[in-house]
């Protein structure tokens, strides 16, 4: 008999059952994603990672999952530099588009300065903010 088991601490192999099942379904439905991680790290003078960009490419798209600029480096165009490098690598991987989301008004402006355009919004996520989804043709 099938049952549901809610947990806040799933084991890695349990998450793998979901991930592997969905991956197999999607590959049968639309073809392989050719998913590949992509990260650009900002390092301090000692070589420690202090920020950067993390995401992946799949199905011809770059998805920027995380982008963090340390406060001491903000206002210097770092977000644009990171996005440009990620987009260049995505093009080399055959990508035709990029997308990112944020609920930070400052980040939204930075992404729009880089040529990203809004394609969707989710109001009150989190409360008092709007989560904005942006895309860019590469």
């Amino acid at each position: 008999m099938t049952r549901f088991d809610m947990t806040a601490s799933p084991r890695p192999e349990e998450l793998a059952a979901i991930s592997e099942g969905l991956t197999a379904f999607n590959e049968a439905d639309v073809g392989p994603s050719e998913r590949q991680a992509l990260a650009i790290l900002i390092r301090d003078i000692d070589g420690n990672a202090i920020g950067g960009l993390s995401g992946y490419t799949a199905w011809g798209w770059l998805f920027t999952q995380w982008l963090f600029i340390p406060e001491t480096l903000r206002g210097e165009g770092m977000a644009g530099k990171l996005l440009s490098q990620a987009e260049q690598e995505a093009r080399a991987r055959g990508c035709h588009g990029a997308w990112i989301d944020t609920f930070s008004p400052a980040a939204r402006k930075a992404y729009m300065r880089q040529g990203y355009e809004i394609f969707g919004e989710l109001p009150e996520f989190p409360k008092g903010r709007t989560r904005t989804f942006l895309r860019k043709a590469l």
Side-chain angles (χ1 to χ4, degrees):
M1 174 183 224
T2 303
R3 67 183 175 99
F4 295 110
D5 183 16
M6 187 175 300
T7 179
S9 55
R11 295 189 316 264
E13 62 271 16
E14 293 167 330
L15 292 175
I18 299 167
S19 173
E20 292 168 9
L22 182 59
T23 297
F25 174 85
N26 285 338
E27 285 188 0
D29 189 36
V30 296
S33 69
E34 299 179 6
R35 182 178 174 139
Q36 189 175 0
L38 189 153
I40 303 166
L41 304 173
I42 300 171
R43 296 192 184 274
D44 67 13
I45 192 114
D46 297 319
N48 300 310
I50 58 171
L53 178 152
S54 174
Y56 60 87
T57 56
W59 286 300
W61 284 82
L62 163 66
F63 172 56
T64 299
Q65 187 171 17
W66 296 328
L67 193 155
F68 173 72
I69 310 295
E71 191 161 345
T72 57
L73 298 175
R74 292 180 190 158
E76 298 181 22
M78 297 293 272
K81 292 173 186 173
L82 288 170
L83 287 167
S84 291
Q85 285 188 31
E87 292 163 9
Q88 181 179 349
E89 176 61 21
R91 282 186 202 93
R93 295 180 185 187
C95 292
H96 58 84
W99 72 284
I100 192 168
D101 65 88
T102 185
F103 52 77
S104 164
R108 182 180 61 235
K109 288 178 188 174
Y111 304 153
M112 293 179 79
R113 280 194 300 271
Q114 290 305 120
Y116 284 75
E117 62 182 21
I118 296 170
F119 72 88
E121 294 182 328
L122 185 58
E124 297 299 312
F125 187 92
K127 190 160 181 64
R129 294 282 182 99
T130 296
R131 189 166 196 165
T132 304
F133 298 84
L134 303 102
R135 69 178 169 212
K136 179 179 180 178
L138 296 182

